[in-house]
Amino acid sequence: MGESPDFISDLPQSIIENILTRLSIRDAIRTSVLSSKWRYKWSTVTDLVFDEKCVSPSNDRCVVETNLVRFVTGVLLLHQGPIHKFQLSTSFLQCRPDIDQWLLFLSRNGIKELVLELGEGEFRVPSCLFSCLKLTRLELCHCEFDPPRYFKGFSSLKSLNLHQILVAPEVIESLISGCPLLEFLSLSYFDSLVLSISAPNLMYLYLDGEFKDIFLRNTPKLVAISVSMYMHEDVTDFEQSSDYNLVKFLGGVPLLEKLVGYIYFTKYLSIGDDPGRLPITYIHLKTIELYQVSFEDANEVLVLLRLVTHAPNLKELKISASPIQLFPLEEEGFDLFERDYFDYQLPRLETVKMTDVSGIRNELEFIRFLLGTSPVLETIVVSSSLIDKDAKMGMVVELLRYPRVSPRAQFLFLQD
C-alpha cells in the first residue's frame, strides 16, 4: 500500500503559517517532529510571544530565568525572515543584557509590534529601539524610557501603551506628538503629571494615575475616553485655574462616543468657572460612566447635568455616588434643580444605573430629573449604601412617587 497523501504539509505556506501563529511558540516548535517537511516550518512565523510557559516550571527562579533566556535566544537564532511581533511577558527577566541583544536583533528584522511586560526592576530601554521606525504598536511595562536627542518619534506608530514607566513628562509629550498616526494611547501609574496631548488621529485614550492637569490640545477624532484620576487628601493637588476643566478637557472632542471616569475625575472636571452652556454638543455620545461622584458638591452635580444635557443621543448612563463624602457642602440653598433643566429632553436615554445611593437630596433630585426628561427610558437600576432598612425603604417609596414621562420606565432596586 502506498503512503497516505499528506494534505496538511501540502497546504500553501501562508495557511501553514496561519496555523502555526495560532499555537504558542513552544507548541509551534514541537511541530518540527511531525516530518522532515515540518522541521523548520515554525522558523518563519512572524509573531513571537514568550512567557514563563515557554519553559518547564521550577521552584528555582534562577533555573526558570536561565531556561527562558536560552529558549528565546535559540528561537531568534534559528528564525528566518522578518519578525513582525515580539512579545515578552515575564517577571523573571528585568535588567538582563540578553534583552538588549534581542532588541538589537529585532531592530534589524522589521519589527512592527513590540510588547515588553517585565517585572519591577531597572530595565533601561536600549537606544536601538528608537531606530525601529516600522513600529505600529509599542507596549512597555516597568522600564526606563529615555530616547536619544536625535529621536523624532515613531512615524508609523498607531498604538502606544506605557505602564509604570520612568520617563520625563516632556518626553511623553514629545513622544505623543512625534507619532502622527497614533490612534490608541494608554498611560498608567504616573505621578503628579501635567500632561498635554496633541494627537490629531487619536481615537482611544486611557489614563490612569495621579494627573495634576490634562490638556487635550489637538484630539478631534477621539471616540472613547477612560480616565482614573488619583490625588492626595487635598483637592489643591489639581492645578487651580479660572478655566473650566470640563471645557478644557472635553471641549475639543466632538466625535466622542463613550466617556468613563473613575475616582476624582468628576471632581477634576468641576474645577474652574462654569461658563453656562457648553460650547459643544456631543451628538455621538451614547455612554457615560462616572464613578465616585460627590453629590454633596454642587459643582460635581453641575458637571453631570452639563454632560447629559449636551448629549442628545445618550443611551446609557452609569453613576456611582462617592461612598465617603470628602467634600461636604451645605445642600440647603442649592437651587440647581430649580433652574430650567426640566426644559431639556434626553430623547434617547434607555438605561440608567446608580449605585451607592445614600438618599441625600441631590441624588434623589438627579433621579427625578432623569425620570422627568427621558421619554424612552426603560430601566433605572438603583442600589443603596444605606444600612438602616427603614431609611432605605423610605428612599424607595419616595423614588416610586416621582412622575415618569416614559410609560415603560421601571425601577429595579438591588440589595448591596
Side-chain angles (χ1 to χ4, degrees):
M1 294 178 63
E3 293 185 1
S4 300
D6 187 353
F7 293 112
I8 296 180
S9 296
D10 292 334
L11 288 171
Q13 181 65 17
S14 60
I15 295 179
I16 292 177
E17 287 183 3
N18 188 282
I19 294 173
L20 292 173
T21 300
R22 298 173 187 272
L23 301 175
S24 69
I25 185 61
R26 189 178 185 183
D27 288 339
I29 293 174
R30 285 173 173 169
T31 63
S32 61
V33 303
L34 294 177
S35 70
S36 59
K37 289 184 179 181
W38 281 82
R39 187 172 183 182
Y40 295 110
K41 291 284 188 184
W42 69 268
S43 65
T44 58
V45 170
T46 58
D47 294 356
L48 302 178
V49 178
F50 300 96
D51 55 25
E52 285 97 347
K53 296 178 182 178
C54 293
V55 296
S56 300
S58 173
N59 293 327
D60 190 329
R61 181 185 181 93
C62 292
V63 170
V64 176
E65 183 177 333
T66 300
N67 290 341
L68 185 57
V69 167
R70 288 176 179 172
F71 183 81
V72 176
T73 301
V75 169
L76 294 180
L77 285 175
L78 293 174
H79 191 274
Q80 303 175 38
I83 298 174
H84 293 158
K85 176 182 178 180
F86 180 89
Q87 178 171 336
L88 177 62
S89 302
T90 176
S91 60
F92 287 87
L93 306 179
Q94 296 171 345
C95 52
R96 298 268 313 211
D98 305 272
I99 303 178
D100 290 3
Q101 294 298 318
W102 299 338
L103 291 178
L104 179 60
F105 177 83
L106 294 169
S107 69
R108 298 169 178 172
N109 281 268
I111 186 70
K112 293 182 179 180
E113 297 186 39
L114 178 63
V115 180
L116 293 180
E117 298 173 327
L118 307 178
E120 293 188 22
E122 299 179 355
F123 176 70
R124 183 186 177 96
V125 174
S127 58
C128 61
L129 171 67
F130 303 101
S131 63
C132 300
L133 300 183
K134 293 184 179 180
L135 277 177
T136 59
R137 176 189 175 200
L138 177 62
E139 293 189 21
L140 299 176
C141 180
H142 296 129
C143 300
E144 182 178 348
F145 191 86
D146 186 17
R149 291 185 178 181
Y150 64 79
F151 180 67
K152 302 300 182 183
F154 296 109
S155 58
S156 300
L157 198 68
K158 292 186 176 182
S159 177
L160 176 63
N161 188 335
L162 302 179
H163 176 84
Q164 213 159 337
I165 299 298
L166 182 60
V167 59
E170 63 272 14
V171 171
I172 297 179
E173 295 182 3
S174 177
L175 174 62
I176 294 171
S177 61
C179 302
L181 301 183
L182 194 64
E183 297 178 354
F184 177 96
L185 175 62
S186 177
L187 304 176
S188 53
Y189 283 80
F190 287 88
D191 296 330
S192 302
L193 182 63
V194 176
L195 181 65
S196 178
I197 298 176
S198 177
N201 287 294
L202 190 65
M203 299 177 66
Y204 305 95
L205 176 63
Y206 299 87
L207 302 176
D208 186 332
E210 192 179 299
F211 297 95
K212 297 186 71 172
D213 211 348
I214 305 172
F215 300 86
L216 300 183
R217 299 203 181 278
N218 182 21
T219 56
K221 294 185 179 181
L222 268 175
V223 297
I225 297 176
S226 177
V227 182
S228 296
M229 298 192 77
Y230 305 92
M231 66 179 184
H232 297 301
E233 295 179 358
D234 194 341
V235 70
T236 56
D237 283 357
F238 288 135
E239 293 290 324
Q240 301 296 310
S241 169
S242 60
D243 294 333
Y244 195 32
N245 281 357
L246 176 58
V247 175
K248 183 171 64 176
F249 188 79
L250 295 174
V253 288
L255 302 182
L256 189 63
E257 297 177 6
K258 183 173 183 178
L259 176 66
V260 181
Y262 297 94
I263 317 298
Y264 292 110
F265 181 59
T266 311
K267 166 59 64 180
Y268 167 75
L269 293 181
S270 71
I271 294 174
D273 298 335
D274 174 40
R277 283 193 61 88
L278 299 182
I280 184 173
T281 299
Y282 304 102
I283 61 173
H284 301 280
L285 186 55
K286 296 180 180 179
T287 301
I288 294 176
E289 300 179 20
L290 295 175
Y291 299 91
Q292 290 187 252
V293 177
S294 174
F295 275 87
E296 282 193 321
D297 188 335
N299 293 323
E300 289 196 44
V301 180
L302 184 59
V303 166
L304 282 181
L305 291 171
R306 290 277 186 252
L307 286 173
V308 299
T309 56
H310 286 75
N313 294 307
L314 185 67
K315 285 189 173 182
E316 182 181 21
L317 179 64
K318 294 182 180 180
I319 304 293
S320 78
S322 177
I324 303 176
Q325 298 165 4
L326 295 176
F327 310 101
L329 295 177
E330 292 293 333
E331 286 195 288
E332 289 77 8
F334 177 32
D335 300 326
L336 206 56
F337 292 98
E338 296 178 11
R339 301 180 189 179
D340 58 353
Y341 281 104
F342 282 88
D343 293 334
Y344 284 92
Q345 286 286 304
L346 307 178
R348 302 282 190 274
L349 187 61
E350 296 176 354
T351 60
V352 174
K353 184 174 183 179
M354 291 193 61
T355 58
D356 296 313
V357 177
S358 61
I360 65 175
R361 177 191 169 196
N362 296 335
E363 292 171 340
L364 302 183
E365 286 297 317
F366 183 69
I367 295 174
R368 185 167 73 93
F369 161 73
L370 295 176
L371 290 170
T373 56
S374 308
V376 298
L377 185 65
E378 296 180 358
T379 306
I380 180 164
V381 180
V382 177
S383 69
S384 174
S385 60
L386 290 172
I387 299 176
D388 185 271
K389 292 184 179 180
D390 291 337
K392 186 180 292 187
M393 183 56 65
M395 183 190 71
V396 170
V397 170
E398 181 172 353
L399 289 175
L400 291 174
R401 288 173 178 167
Y402 290 160
R404 315 169 197 181
V405 294
S406 170
R408 294 181 295 176
Q410 293 184 341
F411 271 105
L412 178 61
F413 295 98
L414 300 182
Q415 293 287 344
D416 289 344

